[in-house]
Amino acid sequence: MFNLILFGPPGAGKGTQAIKIAGKYGWVHVSTGDILRSEVSQGTPLGLKVKAVMEAGILVSDELLIEIMESVFRKNNTAGGFVLDGFPRTLNQAKELDRMLVKLGTIVSLVLSLDVDEEELVKRLLKRAQEQGRKDDTEEVIKNRLVQYHQHTKPLIEYYESENLLKNVMGVGSIDDIFTSLCESIIS
Ligand code: B4P
């Protein structure tokens, strides 16, 4: 089982690239952002709980995320691989992920980190706001999401570097060129 984590700040293109990688290799694409947004749009009890938090650009609690991921792994226990997009986002989530994978007799295979400067991130997310109207793509919420990223998620770079699992990939350029670089990092 190949377990790939696609890592990066909000707007780095994790979702965009994760879909392409999952399609190419036949792996299961798990986007925690998409899972949470679908709960919100269906108005489930979980969705009602996380709606305000997401709209403010704050991270949803580790407890809920870990519960969601356990159920994803249980449902897909025969998968050949996973592309994790947006998870883990805290050190606690990363450690829980390790524990879940051990239970399945596997480990994190690779972490690919998309490097994109902050000016480009904001530009992309504001463009998406115009195209898709996502509630967390306003200028103020984007600022919050970047603060959350620097406080809680960026420290994972050190965690995965120390495990020798991290590779950096330039996340600026055409979607196809970035995809090619990611695929090269997967096979090398
Ligand atoms: P996510 O849905 O994961 O949101 P994201 O970080 O904005 O997306 P991504 O980096 O995937 O960017 P995308 O490809 O869409 O999270 C949303 C919220 O959910 C969080 O704020 C949090 O509240 C909650 N959440 C999710 N996971 C959680 C967790 N584990 N723990 C706690 N809370 C969690 O690309 C962005 C835009 O750029 C798109 O419009 C795209 O078309 C464009 N783009 C992509 N590549 C490009 C390129 N090369 N050039 C130009 N534009 C490009």
Side-chain angles (χ1 to χ4, degrees), residues 8-17 31-34 36-37 53-54 57-62 65 85-89 93 120 124-125 128 131-132 134 136-137 145 171-175 178:
K14 302 181 294 288
T16 306
Q17 298 294 338
S31 159
T32 44
D34 286 351
L36 292 167
R37 275 186 292 278
V53 173
M54 288 182 76
I58 297 167
L59 292 183
V60 172
S61 81
D62 284 349
L65 262 298
D85 153 18
F87 185 91
R89 256 176 159 100
Q93 290 181 14
E120 171 73 11
R124 285 183 189 179
L125 295 174
R128 184 169 69 188
E131 290 165 0
Q132 296 174 21
R134 235 174 79 170
D136 59 348
D137 281 341
R145 290 163 65 194
V172 180
S174 83
I175 289 172
I178 297 165

Side-chain angles (χ1 to χ4, degrees), residues 103-165:
K103 268 208 257 175
L104 292 173
T106 181
I107 51 167
V108 172
S109 310
L110 179 65
V111 181
L112 293 178
S113 174
L114 285 166
D115 287 340
V116 180
D117 60 87
E118 219 143 293
E119 199 183 320
E120 171 73 11
L121 296 173
V122 175
K123 205 170 87 191
R124 285 183 189 179
L125 295 174
L126 289 176
K127 185 164 174 250
R128 184 169 69 188
Q130 284 172 347
E131 290 165 0
Q132 296 174 21
R134 235 174 79 170
K135 291 229 168 63
D136 59 348
D137 281 341
T138 64
E139 207 156 349
E140 201 192 323
V141 178
I142 292 168
K143 263 192 219 145
N144 274 351
R145 290 163 65 194
L146 288 169
V147 169
Q148 297 276 307
Y149 169 76
H150 285 289
Q151 277 181 358
H152 303 288
T153 310
K154 207 175 172 193
L156 292 185
I157 292 180
E158 229 172 80
Y159 178 71
Y160 287 119
E161 256 171 358
S162 73
E163 309 262 313
N164 263 328
L165 288 170

Side-chain angles (χ1 to χ4, degrees), residues 1 3 77 98-108:
M1 189 188 275
N3 302 302
N77 58 2
D98 288 344
R99 189 186 59 78
M100 282 184 250
L101 293 177
V102 165
K103 268 208 257 175
L104 292 173
T106 181
I107 51 167
V108 172

